[in-house]
Amino acid sequence: FTNSLTIAVINTLVSVVLGFMVAILLWRFRFPSRAVYEGATALPIVIPEICMGVAMMAFFARVGWPNDLVWPFKLLNITIAHIAFSFPFVAVVIRARLAGFNRELEDASKDLGASEWQTVRYIVIPYLKPGLIAGALIAFTLSLDDFVITFFTAGPETITLPVKIFSMVRFSVTPEVNAASTVLIAITVVTTVLALRLQGTSKPPSS
């Protein structure tokens, strides 16, 4: 459970940053290979998860990923795999929020002397706050209950809660399995409901 929470928290932080940057890039800029870049970013969403897991396992084997790292660095390969899988979902959520953004607010901020960073910090990010939180909750949920990608990238000393539950169920369904599954389901349901509420009830700021 500690491994799962550690991976989920790091995955959430990095995925929100990457998802935010990708969403801003695709929303604001136009460049020749934009369609190709957008399609490549969406691949982790549309391809089967088992293909993603096999691809990440082959990648780590190809680069010669070390297996003698100490905790928590030995969780780094799973974390990287989860980030590659999660941040496109965050980008989709944030970009959907950006679709209703009034560009006149950004122009007015710059006309009043604000720099690009000040505009992003005081205008764009506050507007995107519900989307950022919703994306973070989605990334946390995806990482916490992921089994397939983790199964292909985990080692014998980096077992997460879903992998542990799977190994326990192979022998028998015990009260420990029921308790662990209940905790996992409860956390997943709570975070999903919060993410959906933040997406559905958020209102754009008035000008």
Side-chain angles (χ1 to χ4, degrees):
F1 189 56
T2 302
N3 289 342
S4 296
L5 287 180
T6 303
I7 295 169
V9 170
I10 298 175
N11 167 74
T12 300
L13 296 175
V14 179
S15 294
V16 168
V17 174
L18 289 178
F20 171 76
M21 292 191 294
V22 170
I24 292 292
L25 174 66
L26 296 176
W27 171 68
R28 177 175 291 181
F29 300 102
R30 298 291 183 269
F31 46 93
S33 58
R34 181 175 180 271
V36 177
Y37 181 82
E38 187 173 5
T41 304
L43 276 178
I45 300 177
V46 298
I47 64 175
E49 194 172 350
I50 189 171
C51 296
M52 185 77 176
V54 173
M56 295 305 301
M57 180 184 65
F59 168 75
F60 290 123
R62 185 68 178 269
V63 300
W65 192 266
N67 296 320
D68 55 350
L69 299 175
V70 297
W71 194 93
F73 298 102
K74 60 175 56 183
L75 302 175
L76 193 57
N77 57 334
I78 305 176
T79 306
I80 293 173
H82 283 200
I83 292 170
F85 174 70
S86 300
F87 86 87
F89 290 88
V90 181
V92 168
V93 173
I94 296 176
R95 193 178 177 191
R97 176 71 177 169
L98 281 170
F101 181 72
N102 186 358
R103 298 293 290 267
E104 294 179 356
L105 296 175
E106 190 177 25
D107 295 335
S109 174
K110 294 179 180 179
D111 289 340
L112 293 173
S115 64
E116 188 73 27
W117 166 245
Q118 288 175 324
T119 300
V120 171
R121 180 181 178 183
Y122 295 110
I123 303 297
V124 178
I125 291 181
Y127 176 82
L128 292 178
K129 186 177 179 180
L132 291 171
I133 297 176
L137 293 174
I138 291 174
F140 183 84
T141 302
L142 289 173
S143 177
L144 187 65
D145 64 1
D146 178 80
F147 168 76
V148 177
I149 296 176
T150 307
F151 182 79
F152 282 98
T153 55
E157 298 180 4
T158 55
I159 299 176
T160 61
L161 185 59
V163 176
K164 180 65 175 179
I165 293 175
F166 174 76
S167 64
M168 295 169 67
V169 170
R170 292 173 60 186
F171 299 100
S172 63
V173 179
T174 63
E176 289 81 3
V177 173
N178 295 331
S181 301
T182 301
V183 170
L184 193 60
I185 292 174
I187 296 175
T188 303
V189 170
V190 170
T191 53
T192 303
V193 170
L194 288 175
L196 292 175
R197 290 192 62 181
L198 286 171
Q199 277 189 281
T201 62
S202 59
K203 298 179 180 180
S206 60
S207 58

